[in-house]
Amino acid sequence: AASWSSGGNMNTTRSQLAGAGIQTAAVGFGGATPSATSATELYNGTSWTNNPTGLATARRTLAGCGTQTSALAFGGLTANDETSTEEFTGTTWTSGGSLVTARRNLSGCGLQTAALAFGGSGAPPPGVGTTAQSATEKYNGTAWTSTGSLNTARYGLGGFGIDTAALAFGGNINPGLSTATESFN
């Protein structure tokens, strides 16, 4: 039977972070400590090491995708919802193209040169709860462009795949939770 086993502990205690990579070559970045952090750590299958450079913009509830040596960090929350994207080379972060729609609690998948960002939440009008987003955007390694929106606007959702074959599932539809699964082609 399959089971989980313990790996090395991260160096920075946090939640609401994002990551990219595979079991033996991963990167974790951003998150809340409880304030937003820019911390970036690399995992080799056994232990985490602090990367000397962190994200340029400390943020939490962001999304990520790619590999340990070619990752993307996008969206999230600082004092405001973010549109910024950062590209990781395995050692340093550089600025990438901005999302069309500022948001946090979004999901994403794909590679640094062919990524997808979908769903999320945005700042609500005064006196209203969090606003669920249906926005979907594609990244070509330089810029984000809007594409077909989710059928069900939601945030805190799961997702995986590539930019031409992705799944979005679950999430918060405010009020309530969603069991919806959508595929993207």
Side-chain angles (χ1 to χ4, degrees):
S3 64
W4 291 94
S5 61
S6 296
N9 291 335
M10 294 191 86
N11 297 299
T12 303
T13 303
R14 55 192 147 158
S15 64
Q16 305 173 7
L17 65 157
I22 61 173
Q23 184 185 32
T24 56
V27 57
F29 42 89
T33 63
S35 60
T37 182
S38 64
T40 299
E41 297 183 40
L42 304 172
Y43 190 68
N44 63 11
T46 305
S47 61
W48 292 94
T49 57
N50 290 324
N51 193 66
T53 58
L55 292 165
T57 302
R59 55 186 128 164
R60 57 191 177 97
T61 65
L62 68 162
C65 66
T67 68
Q68 185 185 59
T69 58
S70 184
L72 279 182
F74 46 96
L77 180 66
T78 56
N80 298 299
D81 294 327
E82 281 291 323
T83 60
S84 65
T85 297
E86 296 183 47
E87 300 176 355
F88 189 62
T89 64
T91 54
T92 59
W93 290 98
T94 58
S95 292
S98 294
L99 286 166
V100 176
T101 303
R103 53 201 149 141
R104 60 186 181 270
N105 297 313
L106 68 161
S107 192
C109 63
L111 302 171
Q112 189 182 80
T113 56
L116 199 63
F118 44 94
S121 59
V128 176
T130 300
T131 303
Q133 302 279 335
S134 63
T136 301
E137 301 176 35
K138 290 183 87 165
Y139 192 67
N140 63 8
T142 305
W144 291 97
T145 55
S146 295
T147 188
S149 296
L150 288 167
N151 295 313
T152 303
R154 51 202 149 138
Y155 59 94
L157 67 163
F160 66 90
I162 59 175
D163 71 324
T164 57
L167 279 183
F169 48 91
N172 192 317
I173 54 176
N174 201 23
L177 302 175
S178 175
T179 59
T181 298
E182 298 181 43
S183 61
F184 185 80
N185 61 13

PDB file of all heavy atoms in Angstrom, residues 65-66 72 74 108-117 137-141 144 162-163:
ATOM      1  N   CYS A  65       4.334  27.253 -10.439  1.00  0.00           N
ATOM      2  CA  CYS A  65       4.410  26.101 -11.333  1.00  0.00           C
ATOM      3  C   CYS A  65       5.812  26.028 -11.903  1.00  0.00           C
ATOM      4  O   CYS A  65       6.632  26.914 -11.684  1.00  0.00           O
ATOM      5  CB  CYS A  65       3.357  26.191 -12.440  1.00  0.00           C
ATOM      6  SG  CYS A  65       3.579  27.539 -13.594  1.00  0.00           S
ATOM      7  N   GLY A  66       6.076  24.960 -12.652  1.00  0.00           N
ATOM      8  CA  GLY A  66       7.365  24.795 -13.303  1.00  0.00           C
ATOM      9  C   GLY A  66       8.233  23.777 -12.608  1.00  0.00           C
ATOM     10  O   GLY A  66       7.745  22.859 -11.949  1.00  0.00           O
ATOM     11  N   LEU A  72       7.803  29.542 -11.858  1.00  0.00           N
ATOM     12  CA  LEU A  72       7.057  30.803 -11.870  1.00  0.00           C
ATOM     13  C   LEU A  72       6.361  30.987 -10.536  1.00  0.00           C
ATOM     14  O   LEU A  72       5.832  30.031  -9.972  1.00  0.00           O
ATOM     15  CB  LEU A  72       5.954  30.792 -12.934  1.00  0.00           C
ATOM     16  CG  LEU A  72       6.273  31.078 -14.369  1.00  0.00           C
ATOM     17  CD1 LEU A  72       5.001  31.042 -15.206  1.00  0.00           C
ATOM     18  CD2 LEU A  72       6.968  32.411 -14.538  1.00  0.00           C
ATOM     19  N   PHE A  74       3.321  33.685  -9.133  1.00  0.00           N
ATOM     20  CA  PHE A  74       2.430  34.714  -9.663  1.00  0.00           C
ATOM     21  C   PHE A  74       1.236  34.948  -8.760  1.00  0.00           C
ATOM     22  O   PHE A  74       0.814  34.073  -8.030  1.00  0.00           O
ATOM     23  CB  PHE A  74       1.987  34.393 -11.094  1.00  0.00           C
ATOM     24  CG  PHE A  74       1.533  32.978 -11.325  1.00  0.00           C
ATOM     25  CD1 PHE A  74       0.193  32.656 -11.279  1.00  0.00           C
ATOM     26  CD2 PHE A  74       2.462  31.981 -11.610  1.00  0.00           C
ATOM     27  CE1 PHE A  74      -0.224  31.348 -11.513  1.00  0.00           C
ATOM     28  CE2 PHE A  74       2.053  30.676 -11.847  1.00  0.00           C
ATOM     29  CZ  PHE A  74       0.700  30.361 -11.793  1.00  0.00           C
ATOM     30  N   GLY A 108      -2.536  27.390 -10.488  1.00  0.00           N
ATOM     31  CA  GLY A 108      -1.815  27.453 -11.746  1.00  0.00           C
ATOM     32  C   GLY A 108      -1.161  26.130 -12.063  1.00  0.00           C
ATOM     33  O   GLY A 108      -1.091  25.238 -11.214  1.00  0.00           O
ATOM     34  N   CYS A 109      -0.702  26.005 -13.293  1.00  0.00           N
ATOM     35  CA  CYS A 109      -0.010  24.793 -13.714  1.00  0.00           C
ATOM     36  C   CYS A 109       0.823  25.107 -14.949  1.00  0.00           C
ATOM     37  O   CYS A 109       0.727  26.179 -15.523  1.00  0.00           O
ATOM     38  CB  CYS A 109      -1.009  23.676 -13.996  1.00  0.00           C
ATOM     39  SG  CYS A 109      -2.157  24.015 -15.338  1.00  0.00           S
ATOM     40  N   GLY A 110       1.634  24.134 -15.345  1.00  0.00           N
ATOM     41  CA  GLY A 110       2.432  24.274 -16.551  1.00  0.00           C
ATOM     42  C   GLY A 110       3.890  24.529 -16.273  1.00  0.00           C
ATOM     43  O   GLY A 110       4.404  24.219 -15.198  1.00  0.00           O
ATOM     44  N   LEU A 111       4.524  25.130 -17.258  1.00  0.00           N
ATOM     45  CA  LEU A 111       5.953  25.425 -17.225  1.00  0.00           C
ATOM     46  C   LEU A 111       6.190  26.925 -17.275  1.00  0.00           C
ATOM     47  O   LEU A 111       5.285  27.689 -17.589  1.00  0.00           O
ATOM     48  CB  LEU A 111       6.637  24.757 -18.426  1.00  0.00           C
ATOM     49  CG  LEU A 111       6.466  23.245 -18.528  1.00  0.00           C
ATOM     50  CD1 LEU A 111       6.997  22.733 -19.859  1.00  0.00           C
ATOM     51  CD2 LEU A 111       7.161  22.564 -17.364  1.00  0.00           C
ATOM     52  N   GLN A 112       7.428  27.336 -17.029  1.00  0.00           N
ATOM     53  CA  GLN A 112       7.748  28.765 -17.030  1.00  0.00           C
ATOM     54  C   GLN A 112       7.441  29.425 -18.366  1.00  0.00           C
ATOM     55  O   GLN A 112       7.073  30.596 -18.417  1.00  0.00           O
ATOM     56  CB  GLN A 112       9.223  28.967 -16.671  1.00  0.00           C
ATOM     57  CG  GLN A 112       9.597  30.411 -16.428  1.00  0.00           C
ATOM     58  CD  GLN A 112      11.067  30.563 -16.125  1.00  0.00           C
ATOM     59  OE1 GLN A 112      11.890  30.555 -17.038  1.00  0.00           O
ATOM     60  NE2 GLN A 112      11.391  30.691 -14.846  1.00  0.00           N
ATOM     61  N   THR A 113       7.551  28.701 -19.451  1.00  0.00           N
ATOM     62  CA  THR A 113       7.322  29.271 -20.776  1.00  0.00           C
ATOM     63  C   THR A 113       5.943  28.935 -21.347  1.00  0.00           C
ATOM     64  O   THR A 113       5.625  29.342 -22.459  1.00  0.00           O
ATOM     65  CB  THR A 113       8.394  28.783 -21.759  1.00  0.00           C
ATOM     66  OG1 THR A 113       8.376  27.350 -21.762  1.00  0.00           O
ATOM     67  CG2 THR A 113       9.769  29.292 -21.358  1.00  0.00           C
ATOM     68  N   ALA A 114       5.140  28.199 -20.599  1.00  0.00           N
ATOM     69  CA  ALA A 114       3.801  27.806 -21.057  1.00  0.00           C
ATOM     70  C   ALA A 114       2.957  27.471 -19.828  1.00  0.00           C
ATOM     71  O   ALA A 114       2.786  26.310 -19.484  1.00  0.00           O
ATOM     72  CB  ALA A 114       3.881  26.611 -21.993  1.00  0.00           C
ATOM     73  N   ALA A 115       2.453  28.498 -19.164  1.00  0.00           N
ATOM     74  CA  ALA A 115       1.740  28.319 -17.899  1.00  0.00           C
ATOM     75  C   ALA A 115       0.291  28.758 -18.008  1.00  0.00           C
ATOM     76  O   ALA A 115      -0.100  29.457 -18.949  1.00  0.00           O
ATOM     77  CB  ALA A 115       2.438  29.111 -16.795  1.00  0.00           C
ATOM     78  N   LEU A 116      -0.478  28.372 -17.003  1.00  0.00           N
ATOM     79  CA  LEU A 116      -1.883  28.721 -16.910  1.00  0.00           C
ATOM     80  C   LEU A 116      -2.163  29.189 -15.487  1.00  0.00           C
ATOM     81  O   LEU A 116      -1.705  28.566 -14.526  1.00  0.00           O
ATOM     82  CB  LEU A 116      -2.723  27.476 -17.230  1.00  0.00           C
ATOM     83  CG  LEU A 116      -4.168  27.645 -17.627  1.00  0.00           C
ATOM     84  CD1 LEU A 116      -4.287  28.431 -18.935  1.00  0.00           C
ATOM     85  CD2 LEU A 116      -4.809  26.273 -17.795  1.00  0.00           C
ATOM     86  N   ALA A 117      -2.888  30.300 -15.347  1.00  0.00           N
ATOM     87  CA  ALA A 117      -3.347  30.807 -14.048  1.00  0.00           C
ATOM     88  C   ALA A 117      -4.868  30.852 -14.098  1.00  0.00           C
ATOM     89  O   ALA A 117      -5.432  31.320 -15.087  1.00  0.00           O
ATOM     90  CB  ALA A 117      -2.796  32.210 -13.799  1.00  0.00           C
ATOM     91  N   GLU A 137      -5.769  32.850 -17.457  1.00  0.00           N
ATOM     92  CA  GLU A 137      -4.749  33.499 -18.277  1.00  0.00           C
ATOM     93  C   GLU A 137      -3.661  32.507 -18.651  1.00  0.00           C
ATOM     94  O   GLU A 137      -3.347  31.603 -17.884  1.00  0.00           O
ATOM     95  CB  GLU A 137      -4.133  34.679 -17.519  1.00  0.00           C
ATOM     96  CG  GLU A 137      -5.145  35.734 -17.122  1.00  0.00           C
ATOM     97  CD  GLU A 137      -4.547  36.861 -16.283  1.00  0.00           C
ATOM     98  OE1 GLU A 137      -3.384  37.232 -16.516  1.00  0.00           O
ATOM     99  OE2 GLU A 137      -5.266  37.347 -15.395  1.00  0.00           O
ATOM    100  N   LYS A 138      -3.076  32.698 -19.850  1.00  0.00           N
ATOM    101  CA  LYS A 138      -1.964  31.878 -20.331  1.00  0.00           C
ATOM    102  C   LYS A 138      -0.696  32.724 -20.351  1.00  0.00           C
ATOM    103  O   LYS A 138      -0.736  33.896 -20.713  1.00  0.00           O
ATOM    104  CB  LYS A 138      -2.257  31.346 -21.734  1.00  0.00           C
ATOM    105  CG  LYS A 138      -3.345  30.289 -21.771  1.00  0.00           C
ATOM    106  CD  LYS A 138      -3.548  29.741 -23.160  1.00  0.00           C
ATOM    107  CE  LYS A 138      -2.580  28.606 -23.366  1.00  0.00           C
ATOM    108  NZ  LYS A 138      -2.897  27.762 -24.531  1.00  0.00           N
ATOM    109  N   TYR A 139       0.433  32.094 -19.981  1.00  0.00           N
ATOM    110  CA  TYR A 139       1.732  32.755 -19.977  1.00  0.00           C
ATOM    111  C   TYR A 139       2.620  32.099 -21.019  1.00  0.00           C
ATOM    112  O   TYR A 139       2.722  30.873 -21.072  1.00  0.00           O
ATOM    113  CB  TYR A 139       2.369  32.629 -18.589  1.00  0.00           C
ATOM    114  CG  TYR A 139       3.580  33.502 -18.367  1.00  0.00           C
ATOM    115  CD1 TYR A 139       3.461  34.885 -18.315  1.00  0.00           C
ATOM    116  CD2 TYR A 139       4.843  32.957 -18.175  1.00  0.00           C
ATOM    117  CE1 TYR A 139       4.558  35.698 -18.085  1.00  0.00           C
ATOM    118  CE2 TYR A 139       5.948  33.758 -17.938  1.00  0.00           C
ATOM    119  CZ  TYR A 139       5.799  35.127 -17.896  1.00  0.00           C
ATOM    120  OH  TYR A 139       6.897  35.931 -17.663  1.00  0.00           O
ATOM    121  N   ASN A 140       3.274  32.900 -21.846  1.00  0.00           N
ATOM    122  CA  ASN A 140       4.125  32.376 -22.923  1.00  0.00           C
ATOM    123  C   ASN A 140       5.619  32.540 -22.641  1.00  0.00           C
ATOM    124  O   ASN A 140       6.441  32.408 -23.537  1.00  0.00           O
ATOM    125  CB  ASN A 140       3.774  33.046 -24.248  1.00  0.00           C
ATOM    126  CG  ASN A 140       4.041  34.540 -24.239  1.00  0.00           C
ATOM    127  OD1 ASN A 140       4.633  35.086 -23.299  1.00  0.00           O
ATOM    128  ND2 ASN A 140       3.588  35.220 -25.278  1.00  0.00           N
ATOM    129  N   GLY A 141       5.957  32.843 -21.396  1.00  0.00           N
ATOM    130  CA  GLY A 141       7.348  33.067 -21.033  1.00  0.00           C
ATOM    131  C   GLY A 141       7.688  34.538 -20.979  1.00  0.00           C
ATOM    132  O   GLY A 141       8.745  34.930 -20.485  1.00  0.00           O
ATOM    133  N   TRP A 144       1.255  37.501 -19.953  1.00  0.00           N
ATOM    134  CA  TRP A 144      -0.006  36.813 -19.694  1.00  0.00           C
ATOM    135  C   TRP A 144      -1.069  37.376 -20.625  1.00  0.00           C
ATOM    136  O   TRP A 144      -1.126  38.584 -20.853  1.00  0.00           O
ATOM    137  CB  TRP A 144      -0.464  37.043 -18.256  1.00  0.00           C
ATOM    138  CG  TRP A 144       0.369  36.391 -17.205  1.00  0.00           C
ATOM    139  CD1 TRP A 144       1.379  36.967 -16.478  1.00  0.00           C
ATOM    140  CD2 TRP A 144       0.269  35.046 -16.738  1.00  0.00           C
ATOM    141  NE1 TRP A 144       1.905  36.062 -15.597  1.00  0.00           N
ATOM    142  CE2 TRP A 144       1.244  34.867 -15.734  1.00  0.00           C
ATOM    143  CE3 TRP A 144      -0.553  33.969 -17.081  1.00  0.00           C
ATOM    144  CZ2 TRP A 144       1.417  33.665 -15.057  1.00  0.00           C
ATOM    145  CZ3 TRP A 144      -0.378  32.773 -16.405  1.00  0.00           C
ATOM    146  CH2 TRP A 144       0.599  32.623 -15.400  1.00  0.00           C
ATOM    147  N   ILE A 162      -0.915  20.898 -17.793  1.00  0.00           N
ATOM    148  CA  ILE A 162      -0.136  21.813 -18.620  1.00  0.00           C
ATOM    149  C   ILE A 162      -1.082  22.850 -19.207  1.00  0.00           C
ATOM    150  O   ILE A 162      -2.302  22.727 -19.073  1.00  0.00           O
ATOM    151  CB  ILE A 162       0.652  21.064 -19.720  1.00  0.00           C
ATOM    152  CG1 ILE A 162      -0.307  20.265 -20.627  1.00  0.00           C
ATOM    153  CG2 ILE A 162       1.693  20.140 -19.091  1.00  0.00           C
ATOM    154  CD1 ILE A 162       0.363  19.587 -21.802  1.00  0.00           C
ATOM    155  N   ASP A 163      -0.549  23.841 -19.875  1.00  0.00           N
ATOM    156  CA  ASP A 163      -1.399  24.950 -20.339  1.00  0.00           C
ATOM    157  C   ASP A 163      -2.415  24.550 -21.399  1.00  0.00           C
ATOM    158  O   ASP A 163      -3.343  25.291 -21.668  1.00  0.00           O
ATOM    159  CB  ASP A 163      -0.544  26.130 -20.814  1.00  0.00           C
ATOM    160  CG  ASP A 163       0.189  25.847 -22.124  1.00  0.00           C
ATOM    161  OD1 ASP A 163       0.616  24.701 -22.338  1.00  0.00           O
ATOM    162  OD2 ASP A 163       0.324  26.791 -22.915  1.00  0.00           O
TER     163      ASP A 163
END
